[in-house]
Amino acid sequence: MEYDFVNVCREELRLCGVHEGEPVAILSADTPDELLGHAAAFMQAAKELGALPYHVRVPANRGTGSGGWEVGTTPLTGHPAAMAALKEAALVIDLVFMLFSKEQLEIQAHGTRILLAVEPTDVLSRLLPDRQLRERVEFAGDVLAKAESLRIEHENGTRLTYRLGRYPVITEYGYTDEPGRWDHWPSGFIFTGAYDDGVDGTMVLAPGSIIYPFKSYVRTPITLRIEAGKIVDISGELDAALMRDYMDQFRDPDGYAISHIGWGLNEKARWSGPTMDTRGIGQEGRSFYGNVLFATGPNQELGGKNASPCHMDIPLHGYSLYLDDRQIVERGDLVVPEMRPRS
Ligand SMILES: [Fe+2]
């Protein structure tokens, strides 16, 4: 066991408000990766805080098999006994990626808080959150919640508008101490979604934009024409062809919908992070300060009906964002003092 990482997990669990006698479930799947080390560290850390940790380990795949990176189906699908064990916990440490699943919502509805933590231990340690990040993220979330429209601009021809008000704002600051609340360590951003038919305009993905799940940077501009919340045309050179080919394989019209929209506030996370490190699922690239986080596909995590397995997160570097014509992000820099890091 990595004892330094146990210390980091203890700090994280303290931020999550874990206290003596509290049941803490650690959920893992039988994949041959390093996450058993995560499970052991969380177990030890919770024990040191006097909590009551237990480990729920389930098969990663019970014969359903799937291609590509799909969201929505989890090792808990059709596994009521494991679900019952997780609902008994005050906090679930999710090492299997339940995000976008019915099971996650069901566990949250029970009042159980959930912390997703699947990045490598050194990334988690470097991006350990703090209360100041929470304050800045929550401030940004309050501002976003009051907006009726959002606009993204870039001198490359991007001008995309979102009609807001249909869906809630989700904050992610990397820990959770409120009943039923989900968070993801590490993170540091906020997002919401437009009305399902409420996104229109042109999005030009500039070189340097990061595409997840590809974990790669755009090299040739990709132009997306968007009408009534759906991508109706993808044009450009190599990167556009790759994006089209990836999306086409799902044969799912809902995969072309516009998903969540927001911006990053974490100054510890680096835009260049994925140039050197493509382990994990890329939370560093999604969180970096001043990125506009554009996404396509499902919106059920916001309470919407789109459950497409084709989901792309695309952090944009150097873009501007406006809420009801008030500028929030100027070419990758936050212009609202309360959202900027305090020195
Ligand atoms: Fe996403």
Side-chain angles (χ1 to χ4, degrees):
M1 187 154 40
E2 271 183 70
Y3 283 96
D4 287 348
F5 187 55
V6 172
N7 293 334
V8 174
C9 287
R10 204 172 50 239
E11 282 314 302
E12 174 68 20
L13 292 180
R14 273 204 188 106
L15 286 167
C16 289
V18 169
H19 55 78
E20 205 169 333
E22 189 170 54
V24 174
I26 298 151
L27 170 65
S28 77
D30 62 348
T31 47
D33 55 27
E34 67 169 309
L35 298 185
L36 264 184
H38 287 52
F42 274 111
M43 180 82 87
Q44 177 65 25
K47 213 164 61 179
E48 289 175 13
L49 293 174
L52 299 172
Y54 55 104
H55 190 170
V56 177
R57 189 155 172 81
V58 290
N61 187 326
R62 298 198 302 281
T64 50
S66 63
W69 187 75
E70 296 188 7
V71 294
T73 305
T74 78
L76 296 170
T77 308
H79 200 323
M83 286 292 288
L86 295 170
K87 287 182 195 167
E88 285 299 311
L91 172 68
V92 170
I93 306 296
D94 175 12
L95 304 178
V96 310
F97 200 88
M98 289 191 284
L99 188 56
F100 308 115
S101 69
K102 290 197 294 285
E103 290 78 19
Q104 166 160 325
L105 297 175
E106 203 180 315
I107 294 166
Q108 284 179 261
H110 211 256
T112 300
R113 55 199 198 276
I114 300 177
L115 180 74
L116 176 59
V118 293
E119 296 289 1
T121 56
D122 56 298
V123 175
L124 290 167
S125 303
R126 184 162 50 81
L127 299 178
L128 183 68
D130 56 47
R131 293 193 165 80
Q132 197 209 91
L133 178 63
R134 175 183 185 165
E135 282 169 23
R136 291 166 47 220
V137 167
E138 288 185 331
F139 182 91
D142 289 343
V143 172
L144 179 56
K146 292 187 189 105
E148 291 177 3
S149 72
L150 180 154
R151 191 172 75 253
I152 305 169
E153 288 186 2
H154 190 283
E155 61 217 14
N156 66 8
T158 296
R159 191 180 167 92
L160 188 63
T161 59
Y162 290 67
R163 193 156 44 86
L164 305 181
R166 167 76 179 80
Y167 294 112
V169 170
I170 309 281
T171 55
E172 289 190 31
Y173 44 80
Y175 64 93
T176 176
D177 64 2
E178 295 165 13
R181 184 176 177 276
W182 171 89
D183 210 313
H184 193 168
W185 172 30
S187 50
F189 52 83
I190 43 121
F191 61 89
T192 188
Y195 280 87
D196 291 4
D197 62 354
V199 188
D200 291 276
T202 301
M203 167 58 70
V204 183
L205 303 175
S209 307
I210 308 171
I211 297 191
Y212 292 107
F214 300 174
K215 299 184 181 175
S216 65
Y217 293 85
V218 170
R219 304 279 166 157
T220 59
I222 306 172
T223 301
L224 307 176
R225 200 153 53 77
I226 294 158
E227 292 175 6
K230 284 263 167 83
I231 297 171
V232 295
D233 188 62
I234 302 174
S235 61
E237 297 173 13
L238 174 64
D239 286 312
L242 290 171
M243 186 176 187
R244 242 189 336 254
D245 186 64
Y246 177 80
M247 295 178 95
D248 282 353
Q249 73 181 315
F250 291 89
R251 299 182 188 287
D252 179 6
D254 285 347
Y256 297 89
I258 301 305
S259 181
H260 56 80
I261 185 65
W263 63 92
L265 296 98
N266 192 338
E267 74 284 7
K268 291 184 196 166
R270 307 293 305 182
W271 170 45
S272 62
T275 58
M276 301 293 286
D277 183 2
T278 53
R279 299 168 300 156
I281 61 170
Q283 277 300 98
E284 176 153 28
R286 290 172 174 90
S287 306
F288 73 83
Y289 174 83
N291 91 77
V292 171
L293 182 51
F294 170 76
T296 63
N299 66 359
Q300 86 271 45
E301 74 179 305
L302 290 162
K305 288 197 172 69
N306 186 333
S308 176
C310 177
H311 181 49
M312 303 180 92
D313 283 327
I314 306 179
L316 307 169
H317 178 259
Y319 284 63
S320 297
L321 182 147
Y322 299 80
L323 296 177
D324 298 330
D325 291 327
R326 174 189 180 192
Q327 187 157 28
I328 304 294
V329 187
E330 182 179 12
R331 296 180 184 201
D333 194 15
L334 302 180
V335 297
V336 181
E338 291 89 341
M339 297 181 199
R340 297 169 66 95
R342 284 165 231 156
S343 46

